[in-house]
């Protein structure tokens, strides 16, 4: 059961985002993606885990069908790739040669803390962000360094590439909020737990390898997930005490990113403030072109508390839903979030992705 519980994807979008024509050069040389099931594009299909979205109705709206994405269509990372004029970064585990346009290292159910369910990566890893840095370092050493004749060329490539992160959901959903399985909520106050998660080491190490443009997504209002609402006694409303827990983490990440940008010369760390955006969409669905922001749009196990049931037809009106299953958002929601961060003025600070590619 806990494997299924860990399926939480995150981000989302509208179909109207401008896609570069294939003839114009991409806006950045590469997009590298790190995160959990919100960003996974198929890595888990190749890992020994049951946390997989390798059956319909997952992928029902994706151009190539089922891929391992934990939603009906494109993820927020896919929409960002489209904007940049790059291919969707393929799952890194599926690639043996060199791909210069970027890779996706995200893995459903992973969290920042090793005990959150990173049994696959061993306990010597201090945290998942640091592990992501290590995976990228392997790509750099084994592939990228061979492609570029000089250090200068490689640095230019890395410094103009975009690195996106979405991680931390499972440290709450699958750890702190599971007091029967994990003792973290007995050992740490919400503030202490947030402090434990907010760790700049992985991001700093990535910067030291040459990554200068990084976009870090904050956690959405996990108290508003269909699974959380249905298990809490909130009377069908968002569980605000869960949302309050998450805000300690988000505030810490925001402060850390500001600090990193000001201390690491040449770097730009963007904070993607999607929490308020998602919350506002829950409360005012019609302002976002949505109709249902409370229920999953496909039939899920245990009455909306878990993942989708294989092969059942999803609703035809899925573009009107915010949630795809009990944990993950629809392509429509991913589109909305991506669009706001790419060209909007307040979701991504201190600048949007359109401005980021120009510096
Ligand atoms: C909490 O659980 C960990 C293992 O997950 C264990 O090593 C530790 O001793 C436990 N701490 C307490 C205070 O129960
Ligand atoms: C900012 O980063 C520096 C160096 O890593 C650290 O010493 C300092 O405590 C940080 N400040 C804040 C407000 O996080
Ligand atoms: C979406 O379609 C399903 C099946 O036709 C229907 O039961 C549901 O009420 C519709 N949802 C909305 C928000 O209109
Ligand atoms: C399923 O969940 C809905 C929404 O929370 C609730 O109204 C309904 O009573 C539940 N049905 C069952 C059989 O538990």
């Amino acid at each position: 059961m806990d494997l299924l519980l860990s399926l939480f994807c995150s981000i989302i979008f509208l179909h109207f985002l401008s896609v570069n024509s294939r003839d114009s050069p991409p806006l950045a040389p590469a997009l590298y993606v790190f995160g959990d099931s919100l960003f996974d594009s198929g890595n888990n299909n190749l890992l020994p885990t049951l946390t997989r979205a390798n059956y319909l109705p997952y992928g029902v709206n994706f151009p190539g069908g089922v891929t391992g994405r934990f939603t009906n269509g494109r993820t927020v990372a896919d929409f960002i790739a489209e904007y940049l004029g790059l291919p969707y970064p393929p799952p890194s585990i599926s690639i043996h040669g060199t791909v210069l346009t970027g890779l996706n290292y995200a893995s459903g159910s992973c969290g920042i803390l090793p005990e959150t369910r990173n049994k696959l990566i061993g306990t010597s890893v201090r945290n998942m962000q640091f592990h992501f840095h290590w995976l990228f370092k392997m790509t750099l050493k084994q592939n990228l360094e061979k492609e570029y004749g000089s250090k200068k060329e490689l640095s230019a490539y890395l410094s103009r590439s975009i690195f996106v992160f979405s991680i931390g959901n499972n440290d709450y959903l699958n750890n702190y909020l599971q007091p029967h399985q994990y003792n973290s909520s007995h050992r740490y106050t919400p503030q202490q737990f947030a402090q434990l998660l907010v760790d700049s080491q992985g991001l700093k190490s990535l910067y030291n390898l040459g990554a200068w443009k990084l976009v870090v997504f904050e956690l959405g209002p996990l108290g508003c997930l269909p699974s959380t609402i249905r298990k809490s006694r909130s009377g069908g409303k968002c569980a605000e005490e869960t949302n309050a827990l998450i805000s300690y983490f988000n505030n810490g990440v925001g402060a850390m990113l500001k600090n990193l940008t000001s201390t690491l010369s040449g770097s730009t760390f963007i904070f993607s403030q999607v929490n308020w955006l998602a919350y506002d969409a829950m409360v005012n669905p019609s302002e976002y072109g949505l109709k249902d922001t409370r229920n999953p749009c496909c039939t899920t196990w245990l009455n909306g508390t878990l993942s989708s049931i294989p092969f059942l037809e999803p609703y035809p009106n899925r573009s009107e839903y915010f949630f795809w299953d009990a944990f993950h958002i629809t392509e429509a929601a991913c589109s909305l979030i991506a669009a706001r961060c790419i060209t909007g003025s307040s979701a991504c600070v201190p600048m949007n992705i359109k401005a980021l590619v120009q510096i």
Side-chain angles (χ1 to χ4, degrees), residues 87-138:
Y88 303 134
S92 66
I93 301 178
S94 70
I95 299 295
H96 298 291
T98 300
V99 175
L100 289 177
T101 51
L103 289 173
N104 184 322
Y105 302 89
S107 169
S109 91
C110 78
I112 294 170
L113 302 178
E115 65 269 24
T116 297
R117 266 205 35 78
N118 282 321
K119 298 185 180 85
L120 297 173
I121 64 172
T123 46
S124 57
V125 172
R126 176 170 153 198
N127 76 37
M128 194 62 192
Q129 296 207 17
F130 194 71
H131 183 66
F132 281 139
H133 141 268
W134 183 82
L135 291 174
F136 182 70
K137 193 173 171 183
M138 290 299 117

Side-chain angles (χ1 to χ4, degrees), residues 41-154:
S41 63
N43 281 309
N44 274 21
N45 285 349
L46 300 163
L47 287 169
T49 171
L50 293 177
T51 307
R52 289 182 182 172
N54 57 353
Y55 55 85
L56 282 171
Y58 290 101
V60 65
N61 289 91
F62 197 77
V66 175
T67 57
R69 285 170 174 76
F70 291 76
T71 178
N72 55 313
R74 291 161 287 182
T75 65
V76 171
D78 294 325
F79 283 110
I80 294 173
E82 284 185 7
Y83 171 74
L84 297 173
L86 294 169
Y88 303 134
S92 66
I93 301 178
S94 70
I95 299 295
H96 298 291
T98 300
V99 175
L100 289 177
T101 51
L103 289 173
N104 184 322
Y105 302 89
S107 169
S109 91
C110 78
I112 294 170
L113 302 178
E115 65 269 24
T116 297
R117 266 205 35 78
N118 282 321
K119 298 185 180 85
L120 297 173
I121 64 172
T123 46
S124 57
V125 172
R126 176 170 153 198
N127 76 37
M128 194 62 192
Q129 296 207 17
F130 194 71
H131 183 66
F132 281 139
H133 141 268
W134 183 82
L135 291 174
F136 182 70
K137 193 173 171 183
M138 290 299 117
T139 301
L140 194 59
K141 299 280 167 218
Q142 291 170 4
N143 304 102
L144 299 175
E145 283 182 358
K146 294 187 189 117
E147 293 292 324
Y148 288 94
S150 69
K151 264 205 157 135
K152 202 174 153 197
E153 267 180 77
L154 179 60

Side-chain angles (χ1 to χ4, degrees), residues 115 182-184 187:
E115 65 269 24
Y182 290 90
N183 59 22
S184 52
R187 288 160 67 202

Side-chain angles (χ1 to χ4, degrees), residues 220-240:
L222 302 184
C224 301
L225 295 179
S227 67
T228 312
I229 290 181
R230 286 165 197 228
K231 280 188 239 150
S232 71
R233 296 196 190 89
S234 57
K237 298 208 173 76
C238 293
E240 295 301 345

Side-chain angles (χ1 to χ4, degrees), residues 58 172 325:
Y58 290 101
Y172 285 96
D325 62 16

